[in-house]
Amino acid sequence: MMLRSVLASSALLATTSLISPALADDPLRVVASFSILGDMVEVVGGDAVAVTTIVGRGEDAHVYEPVPTDAANVAEADLIFVNGLSFEGSIERLIEASGTTAPVAVASVGINVLMTDEDDHSDHSDHDDHDDHNHDEHAHDDHDDHDHDEHAHDDHDDHDHDEHAHDDHDDDHDHDDHDHDEHAHDDDGHDDHDHDEHAHDDHHDHDHGPEDPHAWQSLDAAQIYAANIADALCDLDADSCETFEANAAAYGEQLEALHQQYEAQFSDLEASERVFITAHQAFGYLARDFDFTILSPQGLSTESEASAADVARLIDQIRETGAQALFVEANADPRLLEQIASETGVSVSDTPLYSDWLSDEDGPAATYLAMMTHNLNALVAALVTN
């Protein structure tokens, strides 16, 4: 298997390479697990970081196969960012096997996690949870109060994410059961995710579990991502901490403004007009932010396959709800949704949505902000102006 050969290469690299921290005048060598997270790190870190992403633009982390250069980048990193919530799959084993001495920061720590029943492929987001997205509870204004001496990031060598887990977020969001020991790779709380027994060589074994990992689809949650990124960078580069925090705060203001802009545009929609269809359940957090209902034939992962029963049930739901907007995801196979469109009479939007990755730099989703703007504009066109 490709993964096994990569892990073997990374183990050899770990025993033969000397890992040295970035020099004072050099940017921090930061690895991010996928392109959306890498863009956030670049915004917060600015010139003080040199970011490498494992899963690049246009690539799907659900099915990604690590390559030898990934092992080298991970082994030589000063800091590694992952999404957490069991999103990374085989990348988790790559990090563990690389022998890296870099701390692993989980960017999603402290968000209000959306729980999803994988047995029900249609995502009826619980809009009662929308009130939980109170900005005081999300602590968007309180991140500057984080005392980095008391924020428990002092000892990175032991990679203890109980000490690196932004405890103040967990207290606010009642996620004490998210144990971030061992690089936070078991943050879904599933003891059966043993990496020796769950080798990820067969991608169909990759199960997200009950937690929806696509938290970046929430502009509210993205503000917490930014604050977590700043905290982790501050622990490695105290001299640049003020800049990191200022960048995160400015970024947070942009994210909040974008949220408010589109909340106003959707404000006149009735509940029956807030229904749309996508291939897989990647937009649950966006749905919760804006009180949408999303119907989808697949589960949380793009590698899941919809059964005939799933499709039949979805067609019934489309007819019952009167959903009139159907979106294909960028780079995804459109055939299943085209079949559903043919059977229901719902037209497929000309504008694809971006879920798990950024576009090329000259594309419509070159940055996280551009991606969210693109997606929300597509929803406005389909739900508001039609």
Side-chain angles (χ1 to χ4, degrees):
M1 287 289 188
M2 175 68 75
L3 177 59
R4 286 176 178 166
S5 64
V6 171
L7 294 178
S9 297
S10 66
L12 177 62
L13 181 72
T15 60
T16 58
S17 299
L18 293 176
I19 310 302
S20 58
L23 299 176
D25 294 333
D26 291 339
L28 292 172
R29 297 166 297 187
V30 178
V31 168
S33 60
F34 69 118
S35 59
I36 293 170
L37 183 55
D39 177 68
M40 292 181 175
V41 175
E42 287 181 342
V43 171
V44 175
D47 293 336
V49 300
V51 180
T52 300
T53 58
I54 297 175
V55 185
R57 295 174 179 273
E59 296 182 298
D60 185 354
H62 293 293
V63 297
Y64 183 75
E65 289 275 7
V67 297
T69 54
D70 296 329
N73 289 329
V74 168
E76 295 173 356
D78 297 313
L79 177 62
I80 301 164
F81 283 102
V82 297
N83 180 75
L85 302 176
S86 298
F87 176 68
E88 276 77 16
S90 60
I91 296 173
E92 297 174 355
R93 290 198 69 219
L94 174 68
I95 293 171
E96 291 178 353
S98 71
T100 182
T101 59
V104 179
V106 181
S108 64
V109 166
I111 67 158
N112 184 11
V113 175
L114 181 65
M115 309 302 290
T116 300
D117 183 356
E118 277 279 25
D119 293 331
D120 183 0
H121 285 177
S122 39
D123 182 5
H124 292 282
S125 297
D126 185 354
H127 301 311
D128 291 337
D129 288 345
H130 186 71
D131 292 338
D132 292 339
H133 281 234
N134 181 289
H135 297 300
D136 290 336
E137 293 180 13
H138 264 316
H140 296 167
D141 296 327
D142 294 338
H143 289 302
D144 292 339
D145 294 335
H146 292 187
D147 185 338
H148 297 291
D149 291 334
E150 299 177 4
H151 205 48
H153 298 296
D154 295 332
D155 185 358
H156 291 297
D157 290 338
D158 61 2
H159 291 211
D160 185 339
H161 283 277
D162 278 335
E163 296 181 9
H164 192 61
H166 306 281
D167 293 336
D168 50 352
H169 287 307
D170 287 341
D171 291 339
D172 290 341
H173 296 275
D174 296 325
H175 287 285
D176 293 336
D177 58 336
H178 286 201
D179 186 349
H180 292 282
D181 283 341
E182 298 180 9
H183 303 312
H185 301 314
D186 292 327
D187 55 359
D188 60 357
H190 285 198
D191 294 336
D192 60 347
H193 280 211
D194 182 274
H195 294 295
D196 289 332
E197 298 175 7
H198 189 60
H200 300 291
D201 287 336
D202 181 354
H203 281 296
H204 294 285
D205 289 339
H206 182 196
D207 182 6
H208 286 309
E211 296 173 322
D212 186 341
H214 303 89
W216 61 85
Q217 287 291 343
S218 165
L219 289 164
D220 279 352
Q223 297 179 53
I224 296 178
Y225 274 61
N228 288 339
I229 291 167
D231 287 342
L233 291 173
C234 282
D235 289 331
L236 288 191
D237 186 357
D239 291 340
S240 301
C241 186
E242 186 174 343
T243 298
F244 298 146
E245 291 179 336
N247 289 346
Y251 195 39
E253 290 176 2
Q254 290 180 287
L255 296 166
E256 179 63 23
L258 198 64
H259 181 108
Q260 296 297 328
Q261 174 188 339
Y262 285 95
E263 190 169 61
Q265 294 195 57
F266 297 130
S267 62
D268 292 334
L269 291 177
E270 300 293 335
S272 61
E273 299 172 310
R274 293 173 178 263
V275 185
F276 64 94
I277 306 141
T278 62
H280 88 292
Q281 294 178 11
F283 301 95
Y285 288 92
L286 183 148
R288 188 171 66 179
D289 276 4
F290 294 102
D291 292 323
F292 292 131
T293 295
I294 302 176
L295 306 178
S296 61
Q298 292 174 276
L300 292 175
S301 173
T302 54
E303 56 187 345
S304 64
E305 294 183 3
S307 68
D310 292 330
V311 174
R313 178 175 54 182
L314 177 61
I315 289 172
D316 288 341
Q317 290 173 325
I318 292 170
R319 289 169 176 161
E320 290 170 4
T321 62
Q324 291 299 311
L326 192 156
F327 295 93
V328 174
E329 293 172 42
N331 293 359
D333 188 338
R335 288 176 294 180
L336 177 59
L337 290 187
E338 288 172 350
Q339 173 194 339
I340 292 169
S342 175
E343 296 193 32
T344 60
V346 178
S347 59
V348 180
S349 171
D350 292 333
T351 305
L353 300 182
Y354 284 82
S355 57
D356 299 348
W357 56 79
L358 298 180
S359 68
D360 292 336
E361 292 184 355
D362 57 353
T367 67
Y368 171 72
L369 277 174
M371 181 193 80
M372 294 301 291
T373 301
H374 169 88
N375 287 349
L376 290 165
N377 280 340
L379 291 171
V380 169
L383 302 176
V384 179
T385 61
N386 281 351

